[in-house]
Amino acid sequence: SLISQDDPDEDPELLLVVPFSEAVTMKSISILSHHGNLTANITTIATAAPRTVRIYVDRSNLDFETVRDLEPTATITLVPPSHQWSDEHANGTTDYPLRPAGRFQNISEIALYFCDNYEMPEGHGASSNMDDYDEDRVSTEITYVGFKGKGTNMKRKAVKAVYETRGMKKDHKVPGSEYFGMEGV
């Protein structure tokens, strides 16, 4: 499980950055979370399922301050935990399609920013109105994140190239120049 900081004065935010080894095309994302109490090291921590995920594509050096102000590529409102953990869906995940599809083609990195959870009042996520929220903040917990799509088999590597500021005649042979002398045609 991935859990936000267990500090009642801190925001229950999570930022998950996933780099890929090759360019990929993403079709959907699956997110599963737990809602309730988690026992770890003899301590019981109250946790909640995330409500909203903001998705950022091919953005490097993201931190919490940056993602709060940056326009996301897509925003998804997740299903409530009561739907995820019902007997009918006990071991399943929910797939969220990524739309528009053009924004999720040939990506090399994806960042998921979970800004709020279902224990917070709606509209109080991403530090928007958190100063007005006096209640203890419950940690956000993610138990599974899955990506569905396909690799493009194009690995991004540095290109070896030589650039000339001034062309050298000896490097640029013209076919047939041996018949017309040194200058060519």
Side-chain angles (χ1 to χ4, degrees):
S1 290
L2 183 62
I3 302 173
S4 62
Q5 287 187 342
D6 183 32
D7 186 352
D9 295 331
E10 292 294 322
D11 297 336
E13 304 167 295
L14 286 172
L15 179 61
L16 178 64
V17 179
V18 180
F20 299 109
S21 60
E22 65 181 65
V24 297
T25 298
M26 302 287 297
K27 302 280 186 203
S28 65
I29 187 170
S30 299
I31 299 171
L32 185 63
S33 55
H34 186 267
H35 193 82
N37 293 322
L38 175 73
T39 304
N41 298 338
I42 310 173
T43 311
T44 301
I45 303 168
T47 62
R51 180 189 309 261
T52 309
V53 60
R54 295 179 184 174
I55 303 172
Y56 300 89
V57 171
D58 290 333
R59 294 288 196 153
S60 58
N61 301 328
L62 288 177
D63 59 10
F64 287 108
E65 292 298 320
T66 307
V67 295
R68 288 181 192 134
D69 299 330
L70 194 62
E71 186 69 26
T73 305
T75 302
I76 299 174
T77 302
L78 305 174
V79 296
S82 58
H83 176 74
Q84 287 184 354
W85 291 101
S86 66
D87 291 336
E88 182 181 337
H89 302 96
N91 294 321
T93 60
T94 304
D95 289 348
Y96 300 95
L98 297 174
R99 302 278 188 248
R103 292 184 183 175
F104 297 95
Q105 292 179 349
N106 295 324
I107 63 173
S108 58
E109 182 176 281
I110 191 166
L112 307 174
Y113 172 55
F114 300 93
C115 55
D116 57 0
N117 61 38
Y118 275 99
E119 285 295 319
M120 299 169 58
E122 198 166 346
H124 280 77
S127 294
S128 57
N129 299 319
M130 290 303 288
D131 295 334
D132 300 335
Y133 184 61
D134 294 331
E135 302 293 322
D136 283 344
R137 296 174 178 123
V138 176
S139 297
T140 302
E141 180 181 5
I142 307 294
T143 55
Y144 174 80
V145 175
F147 300 105
K148 292 186 180 177
K150 61 182 178 178
T152 60
N153 294 328
M154 293 188 307
K155 299 206 185 255
R156 297 186 179 188
K157 296 180 182 177
V159 177
K160 266 190 177 178
V162 176
Y163 296 97
E164 298 177 346
T165 58
R166 188 170 153 205
M168 304 295 286
K169 283 186 181 182
K170 66 178 183 174
D171 293 337
H172 303 283
K173 302 268 185 204
V174 177
S177 63
E178 63 272 1
Y179 300 115
F180 299 103
M182 296 293 287
E183 297 296 319
V185 176

